[in-house]
Amino acid sequence: MQSLSELTISSTLRDRFMNANRVLVLTGAGVSAESGVPTFRGGGNTAVWKGMPFDVISSAQMVQRDLPAVWEWFDYRRQLLSTLRPNAAHLELAKWQSRFTDFKLVTQNIDGLHQLAGSRDVIELHGSIWGGRCTTCHSRHEIGRAGERADACFDCGDPVRPDVVLFGEMLPAGSFEAAAEAAANCELCFVLGTSALVYPAAALPEIAREAGAFVCEVDPERTPLSDLCHEVLTGKAGEVLPLISAVAAV
Ligand code: APR
């Protein structure tokens, strides 16, 4: 990873940032890392819960087999999140939404930190940890920051599960379609803090590039998307995003 002083923002990115109207930003767990949210991968590690890889505990099968165990994992993550605050990357992106006429923020994160930073109309591809959903009638149940949640559906009484996309499940209806449309129409696409291993989210920068957009990645590590990007800034999102805004302000 380059130090911030070594990092250069190219004049091409600067010009694109200053002149773009339609901008798409795709974020992943890395954007919340500086807030203290553990990432799932990166640094050669993968998250494990009570000896179970996270993609096992966070799976549709586990909801069938042991819903209380799934809740235990999400209750732990939610309790952790309830103490954390947005970082400089979240705050910068909230500012960017009023900078561009057509700004779309698409996240794989379920932590709600973008919204806490002031971002509006965030497309949450993988749902939200601050919600539950009935396993039968699918009605949604808000979960407050104090963490109180319903085990049984208020409407039909059946079990409620976390309202997040688990491994082996489809994305919320319409969310990917809206994101893909934004990708196909954007002039500038930022990919921030994602290992780009999970599809269909990782396809969005590919769609943007295909459509002629300038694609820029920010990540301390190279990812499978790095070769596809016009510009790769190897650093932390909370440090690099304010730098981009600063360079464009000069
Ligand atoms: N700034 C930018 N990027 C960072 C930072 C940082 N401060 N810290 C870590 N990263 C990068 C890592 O190098 C890695 O490439 O963030 C990425 C995090 O990757 P993952 O943990 O795999 O997270 P993500 O890509 O969002 O995972 C996708 O997989 O586990 C499922 O549903 C879950 O939404 C998640 C999806």
Side-chain angles (χ1 to χ4, degrees):
M1 180 166 75
Q2 293 164 301
S3 69
L4 211 51
S5 57
E6 291 166 329
L7 205 72
T8 49
I9 310 292
S10 74
S11 56
T12 312
L13 175 57
R14 181 175 173 273
D15 295 347
R16 289 275 184 155
F17 189 80
M18 292 177 71
N19 302 313
N21 293 309
R22 302 185 307 281
V23 174
L24 171 77
V25 173
L26 172 67
T27 67
V31 163
S32 294
E34 292 155 82
S35 295
V37 183
T39 59
F40 300 97
R41 307 167 192 90
N45 305 315
T46 56
V48 171
W49 170 254
K50 296 196 171 178
M52 253 186 290
F54 75 94
D55 52 3
V56 172
I57 187 71
S58 293
S59 68
Q61 289 84 349
M62 193 54 91
V63 165
Q64 301 302 325
R65 199 168 1 145
D66 190 350
L67 180 54
V70 175
W71 269 126
E72 222 186 325
W73 157 242
F74 284 102
D75 289 347
Y76 155 74
R77 288 197 63 101
R78 210 178 44 253
Q79 201 281 322
L80 175 73
L81 284 171
S82 65
T83 64
L84 303 178
R85 308 298 303 164
N87 63 60
H90 298 111
L91 298 169
E92 203 63 36
L93 291 171
K95 285 188 228 157
W96 286 8
Q97 67 187 341
S98 47
R99 181 192 177 96
F100 303 102
T101 48
D102 182 351
F103 179 80
K104 280 284 181 304
L105 177 54
V106 178
T107 189
Q108 298 169 83
N109 301 344
I110 61 174
D111 56 32
L113 289 174
H114 284 302
Q115 293 89 335
L116 213 53
S119 287
R120 299 181 303 276
D121 309 323
V122 179
I123 298 179
E124 294 178 304
L125 289 178
H126 296 162
S128 168
I129 202 166
W130 303 104
R133 188 174 78 236
C134 176
T135 50
T136 305
C137 72
H138 305 302
S139 64
R140 282 205 80 242
H141 296 69
E142 288 300 320
I143 302 178
R145 291 223 151 235
E148 68 296 339
R149 64 171 176 81
D151 273 325
C153 175
F154 300 142
D155 302 333
C156 74
D158 279 357
V160 169
R161 51 154 288 164
D163 193 23
V164 299
V165 176
L166 301 172
F167 283 92
E169 294 186 328
M170 303 291 287
L171 272 56
S175 62
F176 183 74
E177 292 72 13
E181 193 189 331
N185 294 313
C186 72
E187 299 157 286
L188 179 56
C189 171
F190 286 97
V191 190
L192 313 174
T194 179
S195 58
L197 295 171
V198 173
Y199 281 75
L204 293 169
E206 297 165 2
I207 296 170
R209 169 136 194 165
E210 285 289 309
F214 186 90
V215 183
C216 174
E217 180 182 60
V218 178
D219 195 303
E221 297 178 20
R222 287 191 70 77
T223 75
L225 273 174
S226 303
D227 293 340
L228 172 141
C229 295
H230 297 94
E231 185 143 342
V232 175
L233 301 171
T234 45
K236 297 180 174 181
E239 297 173 355
V240 175
L241 297 192
L243 187 66
I244 295 173
S245 299
V247 165
V250 176

